[in-house]
């Protein structure tokens, strides 16, 4: 079972994870994402020196490469939210709305998940997109490594909030119900 028709009555204690409302948590998650990105850059440098990103043969080529990365990041962002919506539909039959506001998108649904359902919903885009990007990094020539790997860094480091939420939920070790509205996560134990 991946979701409930409604929140079970026996689950009464409400907990909220709200990085927007809790500025300290938001700061910690941002710092965690930056730290994770730094580690990932270091790992990437083991495979292909970062100098390859800048080795493009002129300013015009560098600007073109930078523009390509920005476009790829925007496409990634949209695909990520679309995948949340598709996974939700596949798991529960419910539909979700994707809302674009204040330079970010979020997938919004009234679905109340089980822990297993939420973990699948939460991490499916990261895992699927991450696998595709890993394959691209393996098969494409080294000169394209950093363009693809930067999107991988965004994919993994951008999931810092999901990693934190999953940690908190799994740590509960109890039956719980989870509602993720795209801005904050509410769960009941």
């Amino acid at each position: 079972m991946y979701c409930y028709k409604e929140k079970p009555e026996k689950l009464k204690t409400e907990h909220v994870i709200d990085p927007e409302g809790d500025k300290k948590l938001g700061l910690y998650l941002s710092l965690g994402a930056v730290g994770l990105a730094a580690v990932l850059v270091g790992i990437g440098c083991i495979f292909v020196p970062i100098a390859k990103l800048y080795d493009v043969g002129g300013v015009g080529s560098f600007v073109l490469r930078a523009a390509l990365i920005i476009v790829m990041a925007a496409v990634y962002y949209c695909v990520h939210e679309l995948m949340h919506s598709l996974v939700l539909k596949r798991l529960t039959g419910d539909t979700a709305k994707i809302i674009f506001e204040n330079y970010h998108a979020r997938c919004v649904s009234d679905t109340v998940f089980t822990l297993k359902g939420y973990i699948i919903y939460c991490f499916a885009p990261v895992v699927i997109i991450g696998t595709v990007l890993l394959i691209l990094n393996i098969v494409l020539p080294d000169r394209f490594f950093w363009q693809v790997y930067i999107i991988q860094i965004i994919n993994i480091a951008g999931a810092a909030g999901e990693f934190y939420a999953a940690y908190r939920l799994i740590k509960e070790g109890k039956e719980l119900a989870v509602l993720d509205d795209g801005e904050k996560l509410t769960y009941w134990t």
Side-chain angles (χ1 to χ4, degrees):
M1 179 165 77
Y2 300 112
C3 69
Y4 301 103
K5 296 210 183 298
E6 57 186 47
K7 180 185 82 69
E9 287 299 317
K10 65 182 177 179
L11 302 177
K12 297 194 183 302
T13 306
E14 184 174 286
H15 309 272
V16 177
I17 300 172
D18 183 9
E20 298 278 329
D22 183 348
K23 298 300 180 193
K24 192 174 181 181
L25 175 60
L27 176 64
Y28 288 150
L29 290 176
S30 295
L31 291 173
V34 169
L36 186 54
V39 168
L40 292 168
V41 167
I43 291 170
C45 288
I46 293 169
F47 297 102
V48 176
I50 199 164
K52 282 276 191 193
L53 178 62
Y54 306 108
D55 184 19
V56 291
V59 174
S61 295
F62 179 74
V63 169
L64 186 63
R65 186 173 281 192
L68 176 66
I69 292 170
I70 291 168
V71 168
M72 288 171 38
V75 168
Y76 156 79
Y77 198 47
C78 293
V79 169
H80 178 96
E81 294 305 323
L82 181 61
M83 287 187 76
H84 273 305
S85 180
L86 293 172
V87 167
L88 179 72
K89 182 75 171 169
R90 181 83 174 148
L91 288 177
T92 68
D94 292 343
T95 55
K97 288 187 268 183
I98 299 174
I99 298 175
F100 293 90
E101 63 185 18
N102 299 330
Y103 304 105
H104 74 279
R106 59 189 169 98
C107 192
V108 178
S109 165
D110 294 331
T111 302
V112 179
F113 290 99
T114 63
L115 176 60
K116 180 180 179 180
Y118 180 72
I119 297 295
I120 293 169
Y121 167 77
C122 184
F123 288 111
V126 175
V127 171
I128 293 167
I129 294 170
T131 302
V132 169
L133 292 170
L134 176 63
I135 291 168
L136 287 173
N137 270 135
I138 291 169
V139 300
L140 291 175
D142 282 355
R143 70 177 184 263
F144 299 114
F145 177 85
W146 281 99
Q147 288 94 310
V148 174
Y149 194 65
I150 286 171
I151 305 307
Q152 184 74 287
I153 292 169
I154 293 168
N155 183 45
I156 295 170
E162 283 91 347
F163 291 128
Y164 174 75
Y167 166 76
R168 285 268 308 267
L169 294 172
I170 291 169
K171 190 174 136 183
E172 286 289 341
K174 304 172 187 165
E175 181 184 355
L176 47 88
V178 183
L179 174 65
D180 184 351
D181 71 5
E183 289 183 345
K184 68 181 184 295
L185 180 109
T186 306
Y187 67 98
W188 297 271
T189 56

